[in-house]
Amino acid sequence: MGRLQEIVFESRSAPALARFWAAALDGYAVRPYDRAEIERLAALGLTPETDPVVLVDGPGPSLCFHQVPERDYTNNRVHLDIAAPDRAAEVERLQALGAKVQREADGYTVMLDPEGNQFCVVGSHPETST
């Protein structure tokens, strides 16, 4: 049986979007670059700040941010729900990181990350998830 390994986001700027999600999620961080990876990127004329594929690791599945030249932002096929004990405080914190509120609903807030990907902030109780 398969298991979820990573969630892939298309993005305009993989490093910037990876940093946003690493800061937004508890226990997640941008995967460190070792010497070999920095040398591999340099051979391609890239740096960690221009890397077109950036991984974010944490206690759950890894998040992979893949830079693509064209992206259709009219609809997400998949989105993440972030559970927080204080939804309003979490929404405020995420706005400070660059997210925007798209709409409020009963029990959850639909938000957009800095590149327009939808996600929801829900209360920590199972009945409030989307």
Side-chain angles (χ1 to χ4, degrees):
M1 182 179 305
R3 68 177 177 82
L4 185 60
Q5 179 174 326
E6 62 187 32
I7 300 168
V8 180
F9 290 77
E10 293 181 349
S11 66
R12 287 188 296 260
S13 173
L17 199 55
R19 285 191 305 271
F20 169 83
W21 281 105
L25 297 172
D26 186 32
Y28 278 79
V30 173
R31 184 176 292 173
Y33 288 85
D34 61 18
R35 181 185 303 264
E37 182 63 6
I38 290 172
E39 289 173 0
R40 186 190 73 79
L41 288 172
L44 297 170
L46 300 168
T47 69
E49 283 302 313
T50 60
D51 188 356
V53 180
V54 181
L55 291 162
V56 174
D57 297 316
S62 294
L63 306 178
C64 176
F65 298 89
H66 188 117
Q67 200 160 300
V68 293
E70 297 293 324
R71 167 73 164 87
D72 177 10
Y73 287 95
T74 57
N75 188 27
N76 279 18
R77 300 288 307 250
V78 174
H79 75 264
L80 301 179
D81 283 357
I82 298 175
D86 183 341
R87 184 167 52 104
E90 183 65 4
V91 166
E92 187 175 308
R93 186 182 78 82
L94 293 167
Q95 286 178 301
L97 291 172
K100 293 184 170 100
V101 172
Q102 186 175 44
R103 68 183 171 86
E104 293 285 345
D106 187 27
Y108 64 95
T109 303
V110 179
M111 299 190 75
L112 301 173
D113 74 12
E115 289 198 5
N117 296 300
Q118 290 178 331
F119 65 99
C120 293
V121 179
V122 300
S124 292
H125 305 292
E127 66 272 9
T128 61
S129 63
T130 59

